[in-house]
């Protein structure tokens, strides 16, 4: 039994050391240079820099549709592409620059807020999906919505 165990350990050791080939020796130098160039380009991201990330409409009357333009600049090293923007409520609709925004160029995100059925203090978020390093950006709007006079149509006693 002892000889069997000793033979097993010797075979296992021999097989493990025999299979140890240097993988780096097999890499073609030209493929290595291509991979390094690709990896260096992947580290360049656009940066979506907003002039403001939150806007307060102040006090508005219920039923109004208000809008604000959030301007941004791509301060990164790659073209900026906004793929989607969604709001936290159906009453808020974002539209944005659809074409790629080159480095150093400006774009805009227009946010419309329909105050119908939204009395009192309101705060909405707009979540932006883009090819930035984090992949997500967030904007906020807020407003105090004066409710419609609910007694306007009732007779006076």
């Amino acid at each position: 039994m002892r000889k069997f165990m000793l033979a097993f350990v010797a075979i296992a050791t021999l097989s493990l050391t025999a299979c140890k080939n240097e993988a780096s020796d097999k890499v073609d130098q030209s493929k290595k240079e291509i991979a390094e160039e690709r990896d260096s380009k992947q580290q360049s991201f656009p940066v979506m820099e907003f002039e403001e990330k939150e806007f307060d409409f102040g006090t508005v009357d219920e039923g109004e549709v208000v809008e604000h333009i959030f301007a941004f600049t791509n301060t990164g090293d790659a073209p900026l592409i906004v793929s989607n923007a969604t709001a936290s409520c159906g009453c808020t609709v974002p539209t944005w620059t659809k074409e790629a925004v080159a480095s150093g160029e400006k774009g805009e995100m227009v946010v419309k807020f329909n105050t119908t059925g939204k009395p009192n203090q309101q705060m909405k978020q707009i979540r932006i999906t883009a090819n930035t390093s984090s992949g997500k950006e967030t904007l906020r709007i807020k407003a105090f919505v004066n409710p419609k006079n609910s007694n306007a149509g009732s007779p006076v006693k």
Side-chain angles (χ1 to χ4, degrees):
M1 183 71 171
R2 188 179 219 180
K3 289 182 181 180
F4 176 72
M5 190 61 119
L6 187 60
F8 177 73
V9 169
I11 291 172
T13 304
L14 185 60
S15 66
L16 289 175
T17 57
C19 293
K20 191 175 184 180
N21 293 332
E22 292 294 324
S24 61
D25 293 342
K26 295 180 180 180
V27 175
D28 182 18
Q29 187 62 28
S30 65
K31 290 181 181 177
K32 183 179 176 185
E33 290 171 2
I34 291 170
E36 287 173 351
E37 182 179 336
R38 179 198 65 220
D39 291 344
S40 69
K41 286 182 181 178
Q42 285 180 346
Q43 294 174 356
S44 298
F45 288 103
V47 176
M48 192 174 205
E49 190 171 307
F50 284 91
E51 292 175 6
E52 59 185 343
K53 287 193 163 196
E54 185 172 307
F55 182 76
D56 187 351
F57 287 106
T59 302
V60 295
D61 292 327
E62 185 177 356
E64 287 184 50
V65 176
V66 292
E67 73 175 51
H68 180 70
I69 298 173
F70 288 94
F72 61 87
T73 304
N74 177 5
T75 59
D77 297 327
L80 172 67
I81 300 169
V82 177
S83 57
N84 196 14
T86 57
S88 58
C89 176
C91 61
T92 306
V93 180
T95 55
W96 62 92
T97 304
K98 302 293 184 192
E99 58 274 351
V101 179
S103 182
E105 296 295 315
K106 293 184 178 281
E108 57 185 35
M109 176 79 51
V110 179
V111 178
K112 292 184 181 181
F113 172 49
N114 185 346
T115 62
T116 302
K118 302 289 179 192
N120 301 318
Q121 187 65 43
Q122 299 292 316
M123 180 173 266
K124 308 297 177 192
Q125 290 186 348
I126 298 87
R127 286 177 226 81
I128 302 165
T129 305
N131 63 333
T132 58
S133 63
S134 67
K136 302 226 180 273
E137 304 293 330
T138 303
L139 301 174
R140 288 182 182 80
I141 60 167
K142 61 183 180 177
F144 183 83
V145 181
N146 280 330
K148 285 185 179 179
N149 188 354
S150 58
N151 296 329
S154 58
V156 178
K157 294 184 181 178

